[in-house]
Amino acid sequence: MRRAFGSVRAKATLGATVVVAIALVAAGTAVLLSLRSNLNGQAGTQAERSAREVAADLSGGASYARLRLDDDQRPVQVVDAKGVLVAAGEDLRRISGTGTDAVKPRARQTAAAGSGGDATDDHGGGDHGDDGKSGDDGKSGDDRGGDGGGGEDGGKDGRGRGGGEDDDHSLEPGRIGAEVRFSEGSATLGGDTADYRFAAVEVSVRSKGVLTVYAGAPLAAEQAAVRTALTVMLIGLPLLLAVVAAVTWRVTRRALRPVEGIRSEMAAITASEDLARRVPVPDTQDEVAGLARTTNETLAALETSVERQRRFVADASHELRSPIASLRTQLEVGAAHPELLDVTGAVEDTVRLQRLAADLLLLARLDAGERPSDTRFDLAELVREEVSRRPGVTLEGTCAEVAGSRGQLARLLGNLLDNAGRHARDRVEVTLRTEGPWTVLEVADDGAGVPAAERERIFERFVRLDEARGRDDGGAGLGLAIARDVALRHGGTLTVGEARGGGALFTLRLPGHA
């Protein structure tokens, strides 16, 4: 169970589910906010339209009693500059979120200033009755009834609840403000309470001063839509996440199935130590197929390396057995018959054994990845030292600096010269020159040469092409192998071709000046 939850498949499923959940929550939140904003905007537009209709009536000179306050069954208030409610809908019972929470306007007492004089407004308390009488028993300076629920016309034509007011200035035009303020609150119309978005519009009327009209539009549609969308998301989100998790689990299981095959096969190879086996390669072009191919290439290289190591050990054991056996025989004979001891032969076998051990040690260090130093020195000087120890070898060349291990390059050059000396008839020629960024060293002999088919094989370890290149001439088949390995470790190459005189031509290329 613990392994299942810690697997790549479980982590991928969890990660995909978390990412999708975050994305869905963010998208859902954005949708809900956008939906709420749009619906709030629509409600605000409706509220503003209602407020401007009432403001237009006031601007046109309509009295408070004749305002259309109950036509749309929406809460409407008219408030004067002092914050006093002067008109409201008949069905309004409670309100919040506007300039005042009053629902009953204060009565306006109408006082006549002479016959047909101007009416003056004065705020008083109480509502006008609904029996068609004005605040002054239906009498005023005008022969028309008071508007505040007063005379017969007021009782018939009044559309809202307002304080008493005469109509001497009913035809004076007003000015409606362009600015709209919005707020949210609640109101009770009749017996129903709901949330509303209110729009406040100011209107300036000469006879009434600056009035503010509050009109509300219900938010029930917005709230219902948001609740519905939220419910759908709360139900759909877990279902969608479950689907995403299930699909991711199945897809990752299918994608990682070849990886499990590779793992199990590698475990079997490790247990059996059979490096000839290979992991299955899926029939795809994805990263898993690339991993399988790379794994098989690694196994092939490891198999080659192990086989090479085994062959090296076997060949080394064989090469060591001969000088050791010869030396032991001579010592045993010398111990039994001192007069028959071949001291010279014993010394030669010892030297041969010492050289072979040194070659094997160097090859082991090269196989272990030992890298040469970056010391720069004159290769021509090293070549002159090696040539001076061997008669019959000529040198032609100039100074050429290289970087690397002087000791390893001395061993490389010595092996080439020893090989050329064993197979040359009369002479060995050494040439040193530079070609662009390369330093080129050539060692040519006038011997029988190397057949074209064998020119790569001679660089393998413990390889001898014939008896002339055999143990009797002191060679163990390691010199050329060591030379090529040293050249490769120094970033160069070592190849063999045909010399002008028909013998072997070994060409060493090393990086020159940096």
Side-chain angles (χ1 to χ4, degrees):
M1 181 64 69
R2 184 175 182 181
R3 178 183 175 185
F5 282 106
S7 64
V8 174
R9 181 168 54 178
K11 293 178 180 177
T13 301
L14 179 60
T17 304
V18 170
V19 170
V20 172
I22 293 174
L24 290 178
V25 169
T29 302
V31 169
L32 289 177
L33 292 177
S34 177
L35 177 63
R36 188 175 184 276
S37 176
N38 289 337
L39 293 177
N40 273 351
Q42 295 178 9
T45 301
Q46 296 173 1
E48 180 183 358
R49 183 170 60 247
S50 299
R52 289 192 178 278
E53 288 176 356
V54 176
D57 291 342
L58 290 170
S59 176
S63 63
Y64 296 141
R66 287 189 173 89
L67 296 177
R68 294 172 294 177
L69 305 181
D70 297 309
D71 288 358
D72 296 332
Q73 290 298 311
R74 294 176 181 173
V76 179
Q77 288 179 313
V78 180
V79 179
D80 64 11
K82 296 181 180 181
V84 177
L85 180 68
V86 295
E90 288 286 346
D91 295 333
L92 185 61
R93 297 292 180 266
R94 187 188 64 82
I95 193 170
S96 64
T98 60
T100 177
D101 58 359
V103 297
K104 294 182 180 180
R106 293 188 179 183
R108 290 182 176 273
Q109 304 296 334
T110 304
S115 176
D118 293 340
T120 59
D121 294 340
D122 185 22
H123 298 294
D127 288 337
H128 290 275
D130 295 333
D131 56 359
K133 295 181 180 182
S134 68
D136 199 7
D137 294 334
K139 297 179 182 180
S140 69
D142 196 327
D143 57 2
R144 294 172 297 174
D147 291 333
E152 294 180 1
D153 291 340
K156 294 178 181 179
D157 298 334
R159 301 192 181 189
R161 187 170 62 207
E165 176 188 291
D166 62 38
D167 288 339
D168 287 343
H169 303 284
S170 61
L171 298 180
E172 294 178 4
R175 185 175 70 255
I176 301 174
E179 182 180 357
V180 183
R181 302 190 308 273
F182 292 99
S183 61
E184 293 186 6
S186 62
T188 301
L189 294 178
D192 298 328
T193 300
D195 295 326
Y196 290 86
R197 185 169 178 80
F198 293 100
V201 177
E202 289 186 353
V203 57
S204 179
V205 182
R206 183 176 179 182
S207 60
K208 300 179 179 67
V210 178
L211 303 175
T212 303
V213 179
Y214 292 94
L219 296 175
E222 177 262 337
Q223 293 172 346
V226 171
R227 282 196 300 268
T228 301
L230 183 59
T231 301
V232 171
M233 290 181 182
L234 291 178
I235 295 176
L237 180 61
L239 295 178
L240 184 58
L241 291 180
V243 171
V244 170
V247 171
T248 305
W249 182 268
R250 291 179 62 86
V251 169
T252 52
R253 181 179 64 180
R254 183 173 182 179
L256 294 176
R257 187 176 298 159
V259 178
E260 177 60 25
I262 294 174
R263 187 207 63 78
S264 60
E265 184 63 23
M266 287 297 294
I269 292 173
T270 302
S272 64
E273 297 183 357
D274 183 6
L275 296 178
R277 300 175 62 171
R278 297 294 181 265
V279 300
V281 179
D283 189 17
T284 58
Q285 299 298 324
D286 55 10
E287 292 81 356
V288 177
L291 173 64
R293 287 191 289 269
T294 303
T295 302
N296 285 336
E297 292 172 0
T298 303
L299 288 173
L302 183 60
E303 181 185 16
T304 301
S305 177
V306 171
E307 181 62 28
R308 182 181 180 184
Q309 188 73 15
R310 290 173 179 171
R311 188 168 61 250
F312 175 76
V313 172
D315 292 340
S317 300
H318 176 74
E319 292 297 329
L320 289 172
R321 185 181 300 116
S322 297
I324 291 176
S326 175
L327 183 59
R328 178 181 177 180
T329 301
Q330 294 181 53
L331 293 176
E332 289 177 347
V333 170
H337 306 281
E339 69 279 3
L340 299 178
L341 177 62
D342 185 3
V343 177
T344 303
V347 171
E348 291 178 352
D349 286 339
T350 302
V351 171
R352 180 182 173 190
L353 186 62
Q354 183 181 12
R355 289 177 178 175
L356 182 57
D359 288 343
L360 294 176
L361 181 59
L362 178 57
L363 284 174
R365 291 203 307 268
L366 294 175
D367 288 342
E370 178 180 308
R371 300 188 61 84
S373 63
D374 295 330
T375 304
R376 302 194 66 83
F377 60 93
D378 185 6
L379 183 62
E381 181 181 353
L382 176 62
V383 174
R384 284 193 293 270
E385 292 178 2
E386 294 295 328
V387 168
S388 64
R389 299 190 183 100
R390 295 168 175 83
V393 179
T394 61
L395 170 62
E396 180 181 347
T398 59
C399 296
E401 280 195 355
V402 295
S405 171
R406 198 175 191 280
Q408 290 185 7
L409 290 178
R411 175 67 68 87
L412 182 156
L413 180 59
N415 289 350
L416 292 181
L417 293 176
D418 290 342
N419 179 79
R422 282 196 298 270
H423 305 291
R425 294 189 181 94
D426 298 318
R427 68 182 185 276
V428 175
E429 298 179 352
V430 179
T431 305
L432 182 63
R433 67 179 184 276
T434 58
E435 291 182 357
W438 297 96
T439 296
V440 180
L441 174 70
E442 292 181 342
V443 178
D445 63 61
D446 59 352
V450 181
E454 304 290 343
R455 289 176 181 173
E456 281 299 314
R457 185 168 172 264
I458 62 173
F459 292 107
E460 296 179 7
R461 300 174 182 182
F462 301 106
V463 170
R464 303 178 186 85
L465 298 185
D466 50 39
E467 290 300 324
R469 294 179 180 267
R471 186 179 300 106
D472 293 341
D473 291 329
L478 292 177
L480 295 180
I482 292 175
R484 170 164 280 189
D485 283 353
V486 170
L488 293 177
R489 289 291 185 273
H490 283 75
T493 61
L494 178 62
T495 58
V496 62
E498 185 176 354
R500 289 189 298 271
L505 174 64
F506 288 87
T507 303
L508 170 67
R509 292 178 178 270
L510 295 174
H513 291 283

